[in-house]
Amino acid sequence: VEHLANYIDGLAVPAKGGGTIEVFEPATGRAYALLPDSGAGDVEAAIDAAERAFPAWSGASVETRSRCLLRLADLIDQHADELARAESIDTGKPIALARAVDIPRSAANLRFFATAILHTQTACHEFDGSGTPGGERALNFTLRRPRGVAGLISPWNLPLYLLTWKIAPAITTGNTCVCKPSEVTPATASMLGGLCTLAGLPAGVLNIVHGRGDGAGAALVTSPRVPTVSFTGSTRVGQWIAREAGPKLKRLSLELGGKNAAMVFADADMPATLDTLARASFTNSGQICLCASRILVHESRFEQVLEGLVERAKAWRAGDPLEPSTRHGAVASRAHLEKIDAAVKAARGLGAKVHCGGGVIGADELPSRCRGGWFFAPTVLSGLDAACSVEQEEIFGPVVSVSPFRDEAEAVARANSTGYGLASMVYTQDLARAHRVAARMQSGLVWVNCWLVRDLRTPFGGMKQSGLGREGGTDALHFFTEPSNVCIRVDQF
Ligand code: NAD
């Protein structure tokens, strides 16, 4: 059994208390590694290291910081095969997906912010005078300074991808950080520490503390020495963090759950739309916060979409995630498998029709290595009422419901009828309709005739119960910096 370590002050270290947590391979159901079960003492040590590293790192030139991150990105590329394999073993996701998406995107996150910082104005100058009571002429400029130690907390669905998405803007802008990766999928984060050392990142700039959410995670969130917290995970934990951090006036970015609707209008391009819907529903076993969960279809196309989706779901076959041809892997944990199964059972209880899938994939349908694994069949449901729990609550598995609508107003109302507001999708050939519907979506992201097309410069995040704040581009650079305006009277010199 492999022993994973924390990375504190540039060194691989175990938890002070010596405790460990078992890490499982979802495709086999077997424990394959032990993780430090860190507590407040380990988090304090990491914060100490981050505080010590802060003056030199924040004072380093942007070129120095940029070069460090670019070297780290190159190292991720050089170790892409190992990292993709580790990500696949740890999460249960197909290795082809880890190779094509998770690992290249992790390097891209670092390069994006490492170069953005070279081209971003850190101060903006302007003359003023006519508007002031005494007619004083003054020069205003705005310093944007790093905020100190940032706490970065990430979930299990896209481990290295989402962690680097936070690390890159945090440290290029001169902050130092303490990361708390998901205890369910710690493997690639634990490899990242060694790569940081190889990249020449000074000790203490980036620290990784493994452990449970209510242990290491909570200690990081509540520490008065961590003024900035960037969290991606469930709405339930996000709400708890907001409650804890609110009175301390911490700056928070919360990327939370979703219940994303895809609206298919009568004029949608077929069969391209069906192919996109299948990817949006079943990629990564539906464990992407941006996956489609509710497919709303104009009544004239309802049967066609239902049949087309079921046909594609049946072809979305499970296999060993480490086989390069596998498209459908395992889900992240036994507990998550049970949660998905309970949601589908609840749907049946509510009178839903199950058109395909509908349960855990049996051992006899899996390759021998994976007989003990946690696989859920791609599932298509219909007949659910918009207000029922299954249509309102996130499932985060390979499960979608299909429901008909009569007109645009009904589609928009139903799409917006949950407490969440992360992403929505519109499929139509009518450009006026696309604009009209997009402008009425209560979601932070709207995709028209596509899904998961991402430009890292654009604001990323959700509204309502899907979160607070935006990541990406300028939003992320602003989140991790504190503006301070300096006004100098110039007509007296
Ligand atoms: P989770 O909320 O259970 O855990 C996320 C992280 O928070 C983990 O590292 C966990 O250890 C930590 N944590 C748990 N309790 C904590 C506490 N009290 N204090 C501090 N940290 C704590 O989420 P998960 O199950 O790992 O991830 C799945 C969820 O993430 C889904 O709801 C999904 O929609 C969401 N998600 C959202 C986005 C987005 O960008 N909006 C992206 C990916 C995943």
Side-chain angles (χ1 to χ4, degrees):
V1 180
E2 210 181 323
H3 280 259
L4 306 180
N6 289 334
Y7 179 72
I8 297 176
D9 211 9
L11 298 173
V13 290
K16 284 180 193 292
T20 55
I21 302 171
E22 283 187 310
V23 185
F24 292 88
E25 177 178 8
T28 62
R30 285 194 288 268
Y32 79 98
L34 288 173
L35 182 73
D37 186 4
S38 311
D42 303 285
V43 171
E44 287 300 309
I47 298 172
D48 287 344
E51 281 189 340
R52 279 195 303 273
F54 181 71
W57 182 249
S58 57
S61 68
V62 288
E63 287 80 7
T64 302
R65 297 201 298 257
S66 172
R67 272 199 297 272
C68 246
L69 265 84
L70 291 173
R71 283 197 298 270
L72 185 57
D74 288 345
L75 283 161
I76 288 179
D77 284 346
Q78 285 159 26
H79 293 81
D81 283 345
E82 284 160 65
L83 287 163
R85 191 179 156 81
E87 205 72 293
S88 171
I89 291 171
D90 207 27
T91 60
K93 73 174 62 192
I95 193 161
L97 190 63
R99 278 190 187 137
V101 178
D102 293 70
I103 309 307
R105 173 60 193 277
S106 302
N109 288 338
L110 295 167
R111 287 201 181 94
F112 175 79
F113 286 107
T115 50
I117 196 74
L118 300 176
H119 305 278
T120 309
Q121 264 186 310
T122 49
C124 88
H125 309 250
E126 62 188 54
F127 276 98
D128 195 8
S130 54
T132 60
E136 301 95 336
R137 284 173 54 78
L139 171 66
N140 282 284
F141 59 95
T142 308
L143 298 171
R144 277 206 165 269
R145 289 172 299 182
R147 307 188 79 242
V149 180
L152 311 177
I153 303 174
S154 53
W156 47 252
N157 60 333
L158 298 160
L160 193 62
Y161 173 135
L162 289 175
L163 189 59
T164 50
W165 180 234
K166 296 184 186 304
I167 289 171
I171 68 176
T172 40
T173 49
N175 300 277
T176 55
C177 66
V178 177
C179 307
K180 212 304 279 170
S182 171
E183 65 276 31
V184 181
T185 56
T188 48
S190 73
M191 294 163 79
L192 187 68
L195 296 181
C196 288
T197 304
L198 284 177
L201 194 71
V205 171
L206 184 154
N207 305 277
I208 300 170
V209 182
H210 292 287
R212 298 175 205 278
D214 56 7
L220 186 57
V221 166
T222 51
S223 167
R225 296 193 286 154
V226 179
T228 314
V229 175
S230 176
F231 169 85
T232 299
S234 61
T235 294
R236 184 185 58 80
V237 175
Q239 288 165 337
W240 180 85
I241 292 175
R243 277 201 301 278
E244 286 298 313
K248 299 190 173 80
L249 301 182
K250 292 188 181 221
R251 187 175 290 178
L252 283 186
S253 171
L254 302 174
E255 299 291 341
L256 311 177
K259 189 70 186 173
N260 311 316
M263 286 157 283
V264 184
F265 288 93
D267 60 355
D269 182 22
M270 297 293 181
T273 298
L274 283 168
D275 293 337
T276 306
L277 287 175
R279 281 193 305 113
S281 305
F282 306 127
T283 300
N284 205 34
S285 288
Q287 302 166 115
I288 302 178
C289 53
L290 306 166
C291 275
S293 165
R294 299 174 296 137
I295 298 179
L296 313 177
V297 188
H298 187 259
E299 56 191 5
S300 66
R301 293 293 193 118
F302 181 72
E303 291 301 328
Q304 183 193 3
V305 169
L306 192 57
E307 279 167 26
L309 198 61
V310 168
E311 185 191 319
R312 283 161 180 76
K314 285 181 175 165
W316 202 276
R317 298 194 62 80
D320 187 335
L322 290 177
E323 279 297 321
S325 61
T326 294
R327 199 149 60 143
H328 189 64
V331 299
S333 66
R334 180 189 290 279
H336 193 54
L337 184 77
E338 285 165 4
K339 180 179 170 240
I340 299 168
D341 199 37
V344 174
K345 287 203 170 85
R348 284 184 207 273
L350 289 162
K353 198 159 169 205
V354 181
H355 298 271
C356 60
V360 173
I361 300 179
D364 51 336
E365 291 173 65
L366 294 166
S368 58
R369 193 182 87 87
C370 300
R371 296 238 158 102
W374 306 317
F375 293 78
F376 200 91
T379 299
V380 180
L381 308 171
S382 73
L384 284 163
D385 187 79
C388 77
S389 60
V390 177
E391 283 292 88
Q392 291 291 321
E393 285 309 317
E394 185 179 50
I395 299 173
F396 217 56
V399 179
V400 279
S401 67
V402 187
S403 311
F405 64 79
R406 277 187 304 277
D407 56 21
E408 188 179 305
E410 192 190 348
V412 168
R414 183 153 182 176
N416 287 337
S417 70
T418 78
Y420 294 103
L422 187 53
S424 51
M425 287 71 93
V426 187
Y427 300 93
T428 177
Q429 308 231 45
D430 177 342
L431 188 58
R433 189 201 315 269
H435 280 291
R436 208 164 49 230
V437 173
R440 294 177 64 194
M441 280 302 103
Q442 293 168 4
S443 62
L445 305 154
V446 184
W447 276 297
V448 177
N449 295 337
C450 59
W451 177 70
L452 209 62
V453 177
R454 288 277 297 120
D455 180 324
L456 305 189
R457 292 169 295 192
T458 60
F460 176 89
M463 52 175 83
K464 304 200 291 190
Q465 297 299 301
S466 290
L468 206 61
R470 293 293 182 274
E471 298 186 322
T474 315
D475 290 273
L477 297 172
H478 283 184
F479 175 75
F480 285 107
T481 51
E482 190 71 55
S484 179
N485 193 70
V486 183
C487 175
I488 303 179
R489 186 165 174 185
V490 293
D491 56 4
Q492 278 190 335
F493 290 104

